[in-house]
Amino acid sequence: MNNLATNMVAVPDIAGPGQEVVSDDPALAISEMSERFEVTLRTLRFYEEKGLLNPVRKGARRFYGARDVSRMRIILQAKKIGLTLAEIRRVIKLVESNTKRKDQYKEIQEICKNQHEILIEQKQMLDEQVAEVVEILTVFDTLV
């Protein structure tokens, strides 16, 4: 049996592509990009406006290459875990830098650890708010 499959490590999308981006892939029109990632055209334009995506323009049309596809995977996973646009920009810059892969992973891990701490604090606050609402509703139940 081939040991390749057992030795592979799944890299989160936020860490960028596990292998080099193939630039020979055909560019995607904005509608194709929208469909692939299940986002609106407005979302793609927003990320372009913020400098996170850089489609090639041909007249009024936008075309997204392999680099933008890779960036979009990073953006969506980073957004899903609650990173800010500035943090997403930082991750993309890091992933696209010449920094050693292991150092990139360490820095991204640190960003994710910080986000985890923030989410734990927010969860505790939400739990307290839910408990307070339950208490209020219990009082109303006796009044109504």
Side-chain angles (χ1 to χ4, degrees), residues 13 16-17 19-28 33 36-37 51-56 63-75 89 91-97:
D13 285 341
Q19 57 212 7
E20 293 303 313
V21 174
V22 180
S23 58
D24 291 344
D25 289 344
L28 300 175
M33 187 80 158
R36 177 176 287 189
F37 290 103
L52 297 174
L53 296 176
N54 298 304
V56 173
F63 293 94
Y64 298 87
R67 182 173 180 224
D68 286 314
V69 170
S70 177
R71 281 181 167 204
M72 194 64 185
R73 280 197 298 274
I74 293 168
I75 291 166
R89 195 172 285 112
V91 169
I92 289 171
K93 185 176 180 182
L94 181 65
V95 167
E96 293 178 354
S97 73

Side-chain angles (χ1 to χ4, degrees), residues 64-105:
Y64 298 87
R67 182 173 180 224
D68 286 314
V69 170
S70 177
R71 281 181 167 204
M72 194 64 185
R73 280 197 298 274
I74 293 168
I75 291 166
L76 292 178
Q77 188 173 39
K79 182 180 166 222
K80 189 173 186 177
I81 66 171
L83 296 185
T84 65
L85 288 176
E87 290 166 326
I88 294 170
R89 195 172 285 112
R90 181 174 161 208
V91 169
I92 289 171
K93 185 176 180 182
L94 181 65
V95 167
E96 293 178 354
S97 73
N98 291 329
T99 307
K100 291 179 188 174
R101 220 39 177 159
K102 189 166 184 162
D103 292 339
Q104 290 177 7
Y105 291 161

Side-chain angles (χ1 to χ4, degrees), residues 81-84 87 110-120 122:
I81 66 171
L83 296 185
T84 65
E87 290 166 326
E110 193 60 37
I111 292 167
C112 291
K113 281 181 180 179
N114 290 339
Q115 183 63 15
H116 183 253
E117 289 174 15
I118 290 168
L119 291 171
I120 294 293
Q122 289 175 342

